[in-house]
Structures are given as C-alpha cells and as structure tokens.
C-alpha cells in the first residue's frame, strides 16, 4: 500500500484525492491546503482523511511514501524538491515546473535518491489517446504528416500563467507520447486582451521528416472545441473529445501522387474509402494513471510520463513563450 499525502485541494485536487482514496494500491494519509474553506470541503467529502494547512507536515511525515503536488505551477519546484529530499516519490501536476532548469534539477535529485517522479499528463491515460497511439504504432496511418489541434473555450482564465502554459501541455504531452520524434523548432504567436497574459495563441512545431504540428489554444472562444486532426500517408483521423461515442473516426482518405515513366505530368489520385470508428476503452484516465503511479513505485519501473517527459513539455512551452515574445520568431529546440 502506497501512503499518499496530497498538497493542494483547489479545482483539480478533489479529483486526485477521490481517485487515490478509491484505489486498492494507495491510501490517502493526509491532505494539505492553505485555505480553510478547501479543507472544509475535503472534510465533508472524506471525513476519514486527516487535514493540515502546513505542507511540512506532509513533506516530513514518516507515514507518507509519496506526495502529490496539486498546486499552481510556480509552487511545484519547491514542494517537489522538499518531497524528494525527504525521500518521497512525487506525483506532480502539469506543467511539471516553471522552467527547464528546475525540471532538470528535480530529475537529477530523484535519480540520485532512486525515487519516482510522475507528471500528471492525464490525457495519455484516456482511451482515445491510447487508441491513437496503438493505431500509429501499428502503422495504420502510415507515415505521419501532421497533428493539428484546436483546444478552445471561454475561460477558465488563469491569473498566474498564459493560455499556453494552461492548455498546451495537454497537446504537447500527447505529441510527445504518440510521435516517435522530438520537435526541432517552434514558432508561436499570441495576444493578450484582458489580464496581461496571452489568452489566445497559435503554436507550430516542426518535427524531422516533414512532420508538422499546430495547436490553437484560446480562452476567448464562445464555444468549447476539443478537436484534433492527425493525417498520415495511409489514413487520417479526427478525434473529437467532446463526442460521447465515436470520439475517433478513421478515414481511409488520402492523396497518392505518381509520375510514371515517360509521363511528365504528376498523376494525382485522391483516395476516398470507408470511415470507421474504433472501440475505445471507457476508463477514468486519472484512476488508471494513479494506479500506474503506484505500480511504477512497487515494481521500480520508470513511468512514460516521468520527469523527463515533463521536462520535454516544459522545454516546448519555454520555446513557444520565447517565440511569442518575439512575435513569431523561430526558436530551435
Ligand atoms: N491534469 C489536468 O487535466 C489538470 C486540470 C486542471 C488543473 N491542472 C493543474 O493542477 C494544478 C492546480 O490547478 P488548480 O486549478 O487546482 O489550482 P487552484 O488554485 O484551484 O488550487 C490550488 C490549491 O492549492 C492550494 N495551495 C497552493 N499553494 C499551497 C501550499 N504551498 N501549501 C498548501 N496548499 C497550497 C491553494 O490554496 C488552492 O486551494 C495546476 O498545475 C494545473 O495546471 C491539471
């Protein structure tokens, strides 16, 4: 049984506590939040869990094996560092840290102490993303051409980070998981309208072998859209995460260009075949992920969403931020 202490019971923390509390492999020993009203909510939902407003009680407790850091990004480094220094495994929210130097330091510290870091890249544990990864691994889509995602809605406005640091970690971590290659360069543009942080942004990532990715993130959209197009040489797919059923549709569509001997002109053939919607496993991603966290600790295995995966996402975020400040200048990774 992994004994977990959770720091942060704001918007996302309740989901973490509920899932850790319901798993056989984990037990929530204590929850810390500086806010009395947050602790009041916790006590009403989970009367058996002890509470504190002092993070040191969690970070130094001899009865806690792992600490979940579910606070704002600018606090992740300090809390995770103290947890690791005290010999605790760490489950930390996305984005991992505020900058790549902090992420590298935490990775090095965890390695030295043989402790696990898992970054909450929740989408990797959804049935949809696992199905997409499976299709790509099996070569169903053929060589990848592009990944194109729209992740927009009205709010939730964040006061401490821009829309890139809030929403783009989802797509960046998904790309990191399903695309074998690492991005080579980033171009990003964006604009602030309300509170000094970019509330709309467009990020383009260049990968080797002509693979290109584009992410549109926006807090000022009148409607919520969560749609990703993934195009390959053999097939193309559309993932609409807001669909209850048939979230993924795979299209047997594409273009073949040939130039037979002796024919000067290119022959363009458009393929338009069947569409099918693969079966997707219905699991609560967070439950799956937290169970996997306990498993990685018990089996001493490295999670796919380890500190290094968290660092790669932070590096892409930093590059995008740098590019935005220079109005779309290309930034190499
Ligand atoms: N994986 C996901 O899909 C997902 C979704 C939402 C949020 N998040 C991430 O979760 C993190 C938290 O976001 P949120 O929206 O829940 O924030 P929030 O502001 O609603 O909650 C944070 C809570 O932490 C508490 N807190 C902050 N510093 C503390 C400290 N030092 N000691 C004790 N308590 C402290 C605050 O009082 C607050 O209740 C962010 O990194 C965010 O990116 C992830």
């Amino acid at each position: 049984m992994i004994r977990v202490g959770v720091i942060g019971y704001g918007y996302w923390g309740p989901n973490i506590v509920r899932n850790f509390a319901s798993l056989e492999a984990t037990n929530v020993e204590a929850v810390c939040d500086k806010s009395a009203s947050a602790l009041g909510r916790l006590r009403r939902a989970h009367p058996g869990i002890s509470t504190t407003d002092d993070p040191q009680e969690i970070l130094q407790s001899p009865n806690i094996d792992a600490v979940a850091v579910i606070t704002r990004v600018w606090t992740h480094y300090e809390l995770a560092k103290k947890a690791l220094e005290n010999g605790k495994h760490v489950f930390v929210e996305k984005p991992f840290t505020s900058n790549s130097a902090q992420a590298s330091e935490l990775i090095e510290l965890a390695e030295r102490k043989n402790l696990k870091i898992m970054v909450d890249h929740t989408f990797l544990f959804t049935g949809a993303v696992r199905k997409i990864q499976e299709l790509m691994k099996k070569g169903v889509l053929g060589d990848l051409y592009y990944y194109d995602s729209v992740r927009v809605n009205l709010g939730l406005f964040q006061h401490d980070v821009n829309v890139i640091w809030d929403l783009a970690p989802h797509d960046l971590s998904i790309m990191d998981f399903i695309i074998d290659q690492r991005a080579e360069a980033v171009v990003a543009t964006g604009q602030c309208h309300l509170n000094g942080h970019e509330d709309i942004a467009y990020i383009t990532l260049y990968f080797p072998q002509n693979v290109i990715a584009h992410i549109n993130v926006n807090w000022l959209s009148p409607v919520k859209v969560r749609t990703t197009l993934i195009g390959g040489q053999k097939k193309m797919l559309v993932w609409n995460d807001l669909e209850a059923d048939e979230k993924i549709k795979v299209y047997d569509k594409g273009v073949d260009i040939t130039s037979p001997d002796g024919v000067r002109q290119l022959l363009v053939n458009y393929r338009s075949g069947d569409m099918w919607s693969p079966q997707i496993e219905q699991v609560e991603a967070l439950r799956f992920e937290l169970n996997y966290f306990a498993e990685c600790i018990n089996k001493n295995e490295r999670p796919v969403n380890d500190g290094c995966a968290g660092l790669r996402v932070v590096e892409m975020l930093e590059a995008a931020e740098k590019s935005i400040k220079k109005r779309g200048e290309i930034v190499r990774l």
Side-chain angles (χ1 to χ4, degrees):
M1 175 78 77
I2 306 292
R3 299 165 303 172
V4 183
V6 178
I7 305 179
Y9 197 79
Y11 167 71
W12 195 242
N15 297 321
I16 302 290
V17 171
R18 173 174 52 80
N19 278 293
F20 268 135
S22 74
L23 287 171
E24 258 178 51
T26 54
N27 187 48
V28 181
E29 293 290 319
V31 173
C32 167
D33 201 298
K34 288 193 293 198
S35 143
S37 73
L39 292 182
R41 278 191 287 119
L42 180 275
R43 278 192 288 267
R44 284 191 294 281
H46 304 274
I49 297 178
S50 64
T51 59
T52 173
D53 61 5
D54 178 7
Q56 295 308 323
E57 280 189 31
I58 299 241
L59 296 165
Q60 293 175 0
S61 166
N63 302 321
I64 285 176
D65 310 305
V67 174
V69 179
I70 320 297
T71 51
R72 298 267 152 180
V73 60
W74 55 272
T75 64
H76 292 178
Y77 165 74
E78 281 296 333
L79 293 169
K81 186 175 170 190
K82 284 193 188 123
L84 292 167
E85 282 170 349
N86 289 326
K88 323 264 181 235
H89 303 283
V90 168
F91 180 87
V92 53
E93 264 318 313
K94 63 85 194 159
F96 182 17
T97 50
S98 297
N99 60 57
S100 47
Q102 292 176 341
S104 301
E105 192 186 326
L106 295 180
I107 292 167
E108 197 269 321
L109 179 57
E111 246 153 46
R112 197 153 26 91
K113 302 200 114 200
N114 194 25
L115 294 165
K116 304 291 171 212
I117 296 178
M118 182 179 279
V119 182
D120 184 9
H121 290 163
T122 325
F123 271 98
L124 310 194
F125 300 88
T126 58
V129 171
R130 300 194 86 79
K131 179 56 73 177
I132 293 170
Q133 193 228 16
E134 181 194 315
L135 295 172
M136 290 181 58
K137 239 187 171 157
K138 283 186 182 158
V140 173
L141 303 193
D143 292 340
L144 184 65
Y145 288 163
Y146 64 84
Y147 175 106
D148 189 340
S149 169
V150 180
R151 191 174 292 279
V152 304
N153 49 267
L154 197 62
L156 301 164
F157 261 82
Q158 307 289 320
H159 51 82
D160 55 343
V161 289
N162 65 15
V163 72
I164 287 192
W165 285 78
D166 182 36
L167 295 181
H170 295 309
D171 292 292
L172 297 174
S173 61
I174 294 167
M175 279 182 224
D176 183 65
F177 182 57
I178 65 173
I179 303 177
D180 284 340
Q181 322 251 26
R182 304 277 158 256
E184 295 175 324
V186 179
V187 168
T189 50
Q191 199 55 271
C192 319
H193 298 93
L194 294 166
N195 68 350
H197 294 298
E198 286 80 10
D199 39 45
I200 175 164
Y202 305 95
I203 309 168
T204 304
L205 295 112
Y206 294 93
F207 288 80
Q209 276 140 21
N210 296 351
V211 175
I212 191 162
H214 187 259
I215 309 170
N216 168 0
V217 281
N218 183 353
W219 285 328
L220 288 179
S221 162
V223 290
K224 182 168 179 171
V225 183
R226 295 282 185 272
T227 301
T228 305
L229 305 177
I230 302 179
Q233 162 238 342
K234 289 191 198 155
K235 295 210 172 34
M236 300 176 173
L237 72 77
V238 180
W239 163 34
N240 180 354
D241 204 42
L242 302 184
E243 283 271 355
D245 311 305
E246 305 195 340
K247 279 185 191 292
I248 297 176
K249 290 181 177 149
V250 183
Y251 292 82
D252 185 11
K253 287 193 181 189
V255 185
D256 298 314
I257 295 189
T258 48
S259 154
D261 283 350
V263 179
R264 280 185 159 213
Q265 256 182 334
L266 294 176
L267 296 176
V268 181
N269 289 312
Y270 295 96
R271 267 183 299 105
S272 192
D274 290 342
M275 182 279 285
W276 59 286
S277 182
Q279 190 70 30
I280 287 170
E281 213 183 323
Q282 299 284 351
V283 284
E284 185 177 353
L286 209 44
R287 186 177 165 80
F288 185 178
E289 183 181 18
L290 297 182
N291 194 47
Y292 173 60
F293 177 58
E295 227 175 76
C296 287
I297 294 172
N298 288 331
K299 296 183 182 166
N300 193 21
E301 282 172 6
R302 181 178 273 274
V304 285
N305 49 334
D306 64 353
C308 297
L311 168 62
R312 291 194 293 275
V313 169
V314 169
E315 283 172 340
M316 290 187 270
L317 292 168
E318 278 179 337
E321 176 119 18
K322 208 165 160 187
S323 179
I324 283 197
K325 299 297 174 226
K326 297 192 168 178
R327 291 198 154 235
E329 213 169 85
I330 190 157
V331 176
R332 304 212 170 267
L333 283 159

